[in-house]
Amino acid sequence: MAPESDFEREPSRKDKYQHLLIDDAFKRVFGEEGKEDLMIGLIKAVLPELDIVSLTYISNTAPHQGTDTKKSVYDVRCKLADGTYVIVEVQQKDQLNFMDRALYYGSMPISNQVGDGGEYALDPVIVIAFLNFKLKHGPEWKPRIKSHYMLKDAEGRDTMTDKLQFVFIELKRFTKKVEECETFEEKLYFCMRHMFKLENRPENLSGEYFDNLFWTADTANMTAKEHEAYVRAMASERDIRNQIKYGIQQGIEQGIEQGIEQGIQQGKAEEKLETAKKLKSAGIAASIISECTGLDMEAIMAL
């Protein structure tokens, strides 16, 4: 396996396994008909308290309340046998107002449950997001890989409702090596973060579930059409990364240029003040000093 610091390398068409944090791969491995067992295992690893009998995949698009044109598009959306909606997302890069976006996406299935004159008896909605970055939390947050949110009172003791929940898995905070993974949850986190770099399946990742996962994620088992779609998705991901890197570099370069220019201008201003001081000491009229240096009369009189 590639070294820890190599996680940021781009996936290649030569990789043996797909990169599970790329939308296209995640949907193919966990979100298609016939992959229900893989999705159930993923959800139960994150939320073992859920009693999942079965699940059904539903459309990954949802119309916004009050409009027929704008829609929310999710990576995978499914419904459990007890009526709970589960939205599972993978996100490679941080983005502005991510928490607001998550709240908005999670609220859509809530608002869409109530029709005209409908009863407000809601099925729960759970949003699970696997993130390849670190979230920005409040000052009282304690560092951890998984954060679980729901609506509570301001003191955090009484739950208003558990009908809307958010679970964020910050994989950048998961640093265990494969031989250090003990629980099923840890092993799945390892796969989500590192599978695309593996050349062979580690012995520690054994059992029926991982048999299925590694077979499904193996690029050799993809059709030509699936592989081409995956390559296009990788290219799109690469373009986004390069655009971000380019933007950062441009910002740095512009900052340097502006800093140099500001330094030059500051130096010129200091030279003007020094010249004005000397002229004033020589008894030159303030009006003449102003004309020569470009300084206003008030600044000259204050010297």
Side-chain angles (χ1 to χ4, degrees), residues 49-65:
E49 64 271 23
L50 290 181
D51 183 18
I52 305 177
V53 176
S54 63
L55 65 77
T56 304
Y57 295 112
I58 56 180
S59 173
N60 67 339
T61 62
H64 293 190
Q65 193 74 7

Side-chain angles (χ1 to χ4, degrees), residues 164-214:
L164 181 58
Q165 302 182 40
F166 300 89
V167 184
F168 302 120
I169 296 95
E170 299 172 57
L171 292 171
K172 276 294 184 93
R173 300 184 189 275
F174 183 77
T175 58
K176 285 191 174 184
K177 299 177 181 179
V178 65
E179 60 270 18
E180 297 172 333
C181 297
E182 298 179 356
T183 66
F184 180 71
E185 181 179 11
E186 290 176 343
K187 293 176 181 179
L188 258 181
Y189 290 170
F190 180 89
C191 289
M192 293 297 293
R193 179 168 185 180
H194 296 294
M195 177 176 275
F196 80 102
K197 297 184 296 186
L198 299 175
E199 296 178 0
N200 298 291
R201 177 178 166 184
E203 294 182 2
N204 194 29
L205 303 177
S206 61
E208 183 178 354
Y209 183 89
F210 289 105
D211 288 345
N212 190 7
L213 177 60
F214 274 83

Side-chain angles (χ1 to χ4, degrees), residues 88-249:
V88 188
E89 293 272 310
V90 292
Q91 189 77 32
Q92 279 276 38
K93 289 294 180 184
D94 196 0
Q95 56 186 259
L96 190 65
N97 301 321
F98 174 79
M99 290 293 202
D100 288 351
R101 176 179 179 271
L103 179 61
Y104 183 72
Y105 268 44
S107 299
M108 283 298 109
I110 290 285
S111 62
N112 289 334
Q113 289 182 51
V114 182
D116 295 336
E119 296 292 332
Y120 290 93
L122 303 173
D123 291 322
V125 175
I126 301 174
V127 178
I128 300 174
F130 290 91
L131 310 174
N132 184 24
F133 54 87
K134 295 179 181 180
L135 286 171
K136 300 172 182 65
H137 297 274
E140 297 183 3
W141 182 81
K142 296 180 181 179
R144 56 189 181 273
I145 298 166
K146 179 173 67 178
S147 298
H148 190 170
Y149 295 93
M150 63 180 71
L151 296 177
K152 293 179 176 288
D153 75 316
E155 296 178 348
R157 288 195 289 264
D158 185 47
T159 301
M160 171 188 167
T161 178
D162 61 356
K163 293 297 179 72
L164 181 58
Q165 302 182 40
F166 300 89
V167 184
F168 302 120
I169 296 95
E170 299 172 57
L171 292 171
K172 276 294 184 93
R173 300 184 189 275
F174 183 77
T175 58
K176 285 191 174 184
K177 299 177 181 179
V178 65
E179 60 270 18
E180 297 172 333
C181 297
E182 298 179 356
T183 66
F184 180 71
E185 181 179 11
E186 290 176 343
K187 293 176 181 179
L188 258 181
Y189 290 170
F190 180 89
C191 289
M192 293 297 293
R193 179 168 185 180
H194 296 294
M195 177 176 275
F196 80 102
K197 297 184 296 186
L198 299 175
E199 296 178 0
N200 298 291
R201 177 178 166 184
E203 294 182 2
N204 194 29
L205 303 177
S206 61
E208 183 178 354
Y209 183 89
F210 289 105
D211 288 345
N212 190 7
L213 177 60
F214 274 83
W215 189 92
T216 305
D218 195 326
T219 57
N221 296 323
M222 300 168 71
T223 65
K225 185 176 180 180
E226 288 174 338
H227 195 270
E228 185 57 36
Y230 177 59
V231 170
R232 286 198 303 270
M234 286 194 296
S236 176
E237 193 69 40
R238 186 179 300 115
D239 289 344
I240 292 172
R241 287 192 181 199
N242 289 337
Q243 288 168 9
I244 292 172
K245 290 178 181 178
Y246 178 75
I248 292 172
Q249 184 61 38

Side-chain angles (χ1 to χ4, degrees), residues 67-80:
T67 175
D68 295 328
T69 57
K70 195 167 180 58
K71 296 182 178 181
S72 294
V73 181
Y74 310 102
D75 286 340
V76 177
R77 193 162 67 125
C78 53
K79 194 169 186 178
L80 308 185

